[in-house]
């Protein structure tokens, strides 16, 4: 009975339905199509404000529901990630810079840019080319050091 009501309601409202199609040209550019019973609108080469994880989607296709696709893409795009590997810094907005980090000197990798300064992530390289990370969150001080294949974590000392 519920399914009958749903099908009947859908067929009654089909004249008011909108269909969207989004085709990705790249991680930053999409083509957008909106179709109503009266009109079809095309917007080509729409530049996105964030990079969408298109390549990562290949592992998850096919999705059971379209909402899973949208949720995954928005969640992944909104996640902030930066990295520093082999003197190459990749920023939160996916820009890459080559930067030779001086030994024994902390560099700011990430920080809260508000007046409150809620967190700060610092990175330094020692004379053995090992990276040391220091995270400051309010009055908590976290040190991470790699020793062989393990990571040692010290909190407040």
């Amino acid at each position: 009975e519920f399914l009958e009501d749903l099908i009947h309601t859908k067929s009654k409202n089909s004249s008011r339905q909108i269909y969207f199609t989004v085709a990705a040209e790249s991680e930053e550019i999409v083509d957008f199509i909106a179709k109503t019973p009266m009109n079809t609108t095309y917007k080509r080469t729409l530049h996105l404000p964030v990079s969408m994880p298109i390549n990562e989607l290949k592992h998850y296709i096919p999705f059971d529901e379209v909402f899973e696709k949208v949720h995954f893409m928005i969640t992944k795009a909104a996640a902030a990630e930066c990295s520093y590997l082999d003197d190459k810094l990749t920023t939160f907005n996916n820009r890459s810079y080559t930067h030779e980090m001086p030994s024994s000197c902390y560099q700011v990798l990430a920080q809260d840019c508000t007046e409150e300064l809620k967190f700060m992530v610092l990175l330094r390289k020692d004379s053995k080319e090992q990276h040391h990370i220091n995270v400051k969150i309010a009055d908590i001080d976290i040190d991470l050091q790699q020793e062989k294949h393990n990571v040692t974590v010290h909190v407040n000392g």
Side-chain angles (χ1 to χ4, degrees):
E1 185 178 316
F2 174 73
L3 191 55
E4 275 182 38
D5 290 342
L6 184 64
I7 292 169
H8 179 70
T9 302
K10 184 177 178 181
S11 65
K12 280 186 4 186
N13 290 327
S14 63
S15 64
R16 292 183 264 170
Q17 290 182 355
I18 300 174
Y19 296 94
F20 296 104
T21 303
V22 179
E25 288 185 31
S26 71
E27 291 189 348
E28 292 89 18
I29 299 172
V30 295
D31 292 337
F32 179 79
I33 303 168
K35 186 175 182 181
T36 68
M38 303 291 285
N39 190 10
T40 301
T41 303
Y42 299 90
K43 176 64 178 155
R44 300 211 49 201
T45 317
L46 181 64
H47 293 270
L48 300 174
V50 294
S51 290
M52 299 303 282
I54 303 299
N55 290 329
E56 292 183 37
L57 277 178
K58 293 175 185 172
H59 305 292
Y60 297 99
I61 293 174
F63 283 92
D64 294 330
E65 295 286 331
V66 86
F67 293 111
E68 289 179 32
K69 290 180 191 175
V70 172
H71 180 264
F72 174 83
M73 300 228 354
I74 291 172
T75 302
K76 192 67 177 173
E81 183 178 302
C82 70
S83 65
Y84 187 83
L85 183 63
D86 298 328
D87 292 333
K88 179 180 174 188
L89 174 68
T90 304
T91 64
F92 290 112
N93 59 351
N94 223 14
R95 299 215 193 303
S96 295
Y97 301 96
T98 301
H99 173 71
E100 188 175 329
M101 182 171 289
S103 294
S104 302
C105 198
Y106 274 108
Q107 304 281 313
V108 176
L109 189 59
Q111 72 179 25
D112 178 6
C113 292
T114 66
E115 291 178 14
E116 298 171 22
L117 193 60
K118 296 177 183 176
F119 76 93
M120 181 183 291
V121 180
L122 303 168
L123 177 68
R124 77 174 171 89
K125 184 169 58 171
D126 66 16
S127 59
K128 297 176 186 173
E129 298 290 311
Q130 292 291 320
H131 289 114
H132 299 267
I133 298 174
N134 177 261
V135 180
K136 298 177 184 305
I137 304 172
D139 60 347
I140 301 169
D141 200 18
I142 305 166
D143 287 302
L144 298 106
Q145 294 177 313
Q146 185 175 358
E147 296 173 3
K148 296 182 183 176
H149 298 291
N150 297 318
V151 175
T152 303
V153 178
H154 296 278
V155 179
N156 290 338

